[in-house]
Amino acid sequence: MKLYCFGTGAGTEPIKERKHVSFALEINNQFYWFDAGEGCSYTASMMGVDLLKVKAIFISHSHMDHVGGLGNLLWNIRKNTLIGKGFPIAGQLDVYYPNQRSWDGLMMMLQETEGGFKLGYKMNASLIQDGIIYQDENIKVEANHNYHMQKEEPWTSYSFRITAENKVIIYSGDVDSYDDLIPFLRDGCDILMCETGHFNANVIADMVLANKYKVDKMYYIHCGNDILADKQRVLSRLSSYNIAIKITEDKEIIEII
Ligand SMILES: [Zn+2]
């Protein structure tokens, strides 16, 4: 299993080093895509990712730094089918989205593009709810609502627990506080991919250690001001922690073993 980081930044203005957040897991030559910040499909293509091997897309919430590249991703997948590169690997594309209104708006926009966005393959869009939302021979994805967007139902922002190749990966999405992750953290994980856009980088590590949650590694993504201001200072501050912490970078590919 490989982790492809397409964008590792928080919702900043355009900056040189980091685009908005997007990553995918490659398992058995298929890609499972999480969030779709600006330019994610362009970056992925330049990294050599075959967009027709995308099997499913999971969106944590509809803020622009998580969906700004989704229209282009869907458009580029269709484009590849039109220029004779074949069809999506599963014969269809599954998209899991947390907000019906936002999805309908995106579809309306795409339908006003070339060919009315008619597809030669199936695209199944599902509204995310708490619980197991996806399972195939490679991966299981569970969603749990968080309080980043609002404090009451209907929930429109989610964190994900991903199980693949006997590894458990928690992706925070954006959270109101890291307490939002307790339902997942209680069971522990191999990798916690946590946003660092709304908190200083040590806050989540402090919370994990204070509660003795079993977390093997932490990958910081959706990097915000603390890391952007001085990454080396953050790394040296975190070096005393008894936990493996990594700050992910755009265009990085990480083997997960
Ligand atoms: Zn964000």
Side-chain angles (χ1 to χ4, degrees):
M1 173 163 56
K2 283 182 185 161
L3 167 66
Y4 285 66
C5 301
F6 308 130
T8 60
T12 63
E13 74 285 8
I15 55 173
K16 200 172 179 184
E17 298 84 3
R18 295 181 192 275
K19 287 187 177 163
H20 293 161
V21 64
S22 179
F23 66 90
L25 290 168
E26 183 192 17
I27 309 166
N28 292 329
N29 210 25
Q30 302 181 359
F31 285 82
Y32 300 85
W33 201 289
F34 292 84
D35 281 340
E38 56 186 349
C40 57
S41 56
Y42 177 84
T43 304
S45 297
M46 295 305 108
M47 289 169 70
V49 172
D50 179 355
L51 297 179
L52 294 178
K53 290 182 176 163
V54 178
K55 197 167 179 198
I57 300 167
F58 306 89
I59 300 296
S60 66
H61 65 293
S62 60
H63 281 170
M64 188 53 72
D65 56 319
H66 299 250
V67 299
L70 181 59
N72 263 135
L73 170 59
L74 300 176
W75 191 94
N76 280 328
I77 290 172
R78 176 179 183 270
K79 185 72 178 182
N80 280 348
T81 69
L82 295 181
I83 59 174
K85 292 194 170 177
F87 284 94
I89 193 163
Q92 64 179 48
L93 182 63
D94 292 323
V95 185
Y96 293 84
Y97 204 86
N99 180 323
Q100 190 68 51
R101 220 169 102 84
S102 171
W103 176 256
D104 290 345
L106 179 62
M107 285 303 100
M108 282 170 64
M109 188 168 77
L110 284 169
Q111 282 156 14
E112 296 301 321
T113 65
E114 297 88 328
F117 202 62
K118 288 198 175 59
L119 305 175
Y121 52 94
K122 264 173 70 175
M123 183 167 74
N124 299 323
S126 306
L127 201 57
I128 298 176
Q129 296 181 325
D130 285 345
I132 298 172
I133 56 170
Y134 184 89
Q135 190 159 19
D136 68 6
E137 67 279 12
N138 294 319
I139 194 169
K140 178 171 82 173
V141 180
E142 298 168 78
N144 190 58
H145 69 271
N146 61 50
Y147 304 102
H148 176 60
M149 297 274 277
Q150 54 197 54
K151 304 275 191 291
E152 56 196 31
E153 295 189 63
W155 307 120
T156 52
S157 181
Y158 289 87
S159 306
F160 298 120
R161 174 161 57 192
I162 305 155
T163 308
E165 294 185 352
N166 295 320
K167 299 280 183 200
V168 175
I169 301 168
I170 295 172
Y171 170 46
S172 65
D174 285 5
V175 291
D176 179 56
S177 87
Y178 283 117
D179 288 347
D180 292 3
L181 299 177
I182 289 173
F184 281 161
L185 281 174
R186 266 196 293 243
D187 299 331
C189 66
D190 296 285
I191 299 171
L192 173 57
M193 294 186 65
C194 45
E195 70 122 325
T196 42
H198 301 95
F199 315 90
N200 279 356
N202 54 298
V203 172
I204 177 69
D206 287 338
M207 187 265 199
V208 165
L209 292 169
N211 289 285
K212 297 188 169 60
Y213 292 125
K214 288 196 182 95
V215 174
D216 193 34
K217 293 179 184 143
M218 292 176 53
Y219 291 173
Y220 284 6
I221 197 163
H222 190 276
C223 300
N225 291 337
D226 188 29
I227 291 170
L228 298 177
D230 192 340
K231 182 182 151 185
Q232 289 312 321
R233 183 178 54 82
V234 170
L235 284 173
S236 67
R237 199 170 76 213
L238 294 172
S239 63
S240 60
Y241 285 66
N242 185 26
I243 188 167
I245 298 175
K246 172 176 180 50
I247 297 174
T248 59
E249 303 292 339
D250 283 23
K251 301 179 192 167
E252 190 173 14
I253 302 171
I254 302 166
E255 187 115 30
I256 295 178
I257 44 174

